[in-house]
Every structure is written in C-alpha cells, then in structure tokens.
Amino acid sequence: MEKQRKRELGTAYAQTFRRMGVYQIRNTENEKVLVLGTMDLDGAKNRLAFMQQTNMNTVFELQQDWNKYGGSCFIFEELDSIKPREENVTDRSELKKYQAEVDALLELWIEKLQPYDEKGYNRRPRAN
C-alpha cells in the first residue's frame, strides 16, 4: 500500500504546474545581478538558499564576489512569471511552448537590464 501511495503522490507532483519565469540573483554589496530564466522559480530560489547554506556557488560569474562578500549578500528576486494555461503542462509540446515563453521573457529582461560587466554577471552574447 505504501508504494502505491508514493507512486500516486509522485504522479500528482509531476502534473502540478511549477511557477516559471525570470529572476535575478542580486549582490546587495555592489548591486550586480545575474538574470536567468527557469521552468521552476521555486526550485531556483531553493538552489540559491542551498548554495548559501553550504557556501557552494556553482555560478562561475559570481564566484569572485561570492568569495569576497559571502553568500548571504546574494538575494533572489522574481522579475516575471508565466501564468498557467489549461493545457496539461506535462505534455512535451506544451512544455516546449512554456520554455519558449521563458526564453522570450529572459531575452526581454536582459535587454532591459543589460546585466553585463560592472552591472552584472551575465556574459555578453557573442557577435555572429
């Protein structure tokens, strides 16, 4: 009975809508930001909290300031989110549509904030 219940809970979790969108990790010491998009905003926030607790930073662009100021100087800020539609969000084609929306929002926010060089940790796109 226990295995069946775990399976049901796992299936229910997989079918729930995860908040998607764009966020920034902001350094409160120098106001530099890293702007990212995600298919799971809550998961992204949890990853930052984990990095702060373990003092492990996996984002290369932040590493020097992380070492200088400490992880507690970095905060998570949601910039934009996507509202769920009625479709089944576990369907691959729907997930691709949501990913395209996240990517488009990210592009808009990066264009707006220009989080490069002294303003941020994002890498400038390479010219083609």
Side-chain angles (χ1 to χ4, degrees):
M1 192 63 141
E2 183 74 22
K3 284 184 180 182
Q4 178 64 28
R5 179 72 180 135
K6 284 183 181 179
R7 193 174 304 125
E8 289 171 0
L9 288 172
T11 301
Y13 176 77
Q15 293 176 348
T16 59
F17 182 82
R18 288 177 187 76
R19 293 177 343 96
M20 305 171 203
V22 177
Y23 66 98
Q24 68 182 9
I25 296 174
R26 183 169 55 88
N27 180 335
T28 59
E29 289 292 318
N30 62 15
E31 297 302 314
K32 288 175 78 169
V33 297
L34 176 68
V35 180
L36 301 166
T38 183
M39 296 291 284
D40 185 356
L41 283 167
D42 295 324
K45 187 175 185 176
N46 289 339
R47 276 190 298 282
L48 177 62
F50 177 78
M51 287 190 308
Q52 289 170 324
Q53 290 171 4
T54 60
N55 203 27
M56 292 174 44
N57 175 17
T58 60
V59 182
F60 178 77
E61 293 81 5
L62 295 174
Q63 191 64 57
Q64 286 184 317
D65 283 350
W66 188 280
N67 292 342
K68 183 177 181 179
Y69 302 117
S72 63
C73 292
F74 292 86
I75 59 172
F76 180 95
E77 296 173 322
E78 185 177 316
L79 298 175
D80 217 334
S81 64
I82 295 172
K83 304 281 186 261
R85 295 182 295 273
E86 295 302 314
E87 297 95 355
N88 179 358
V89 291
T90 59
D91 178 85
R92 280 190 186 275
S93 63
E94 288 307 313
L95 284 174
K96 285 182 181 181
K97 289 178 189 175
Y98 279 114
Q99 183 64 62
E101 285 184 51
V102 168
D103 293 345
L105 275 177
L106 176 60
E107 196 173 309
L108 290 171
W109 277 101
I110 285 180
E111 187 176 314
K112 177 180 179 177
L113 299 175
Q114 295 290 306
Y116 308 115
D117 307 320
E118 70 282 345
K119 289 173 66 178
Y121 300 104
N122 290 74
R123 290 186 182 153
R124 287 189 179 277
R126 293 183 181 196
N128 292 336

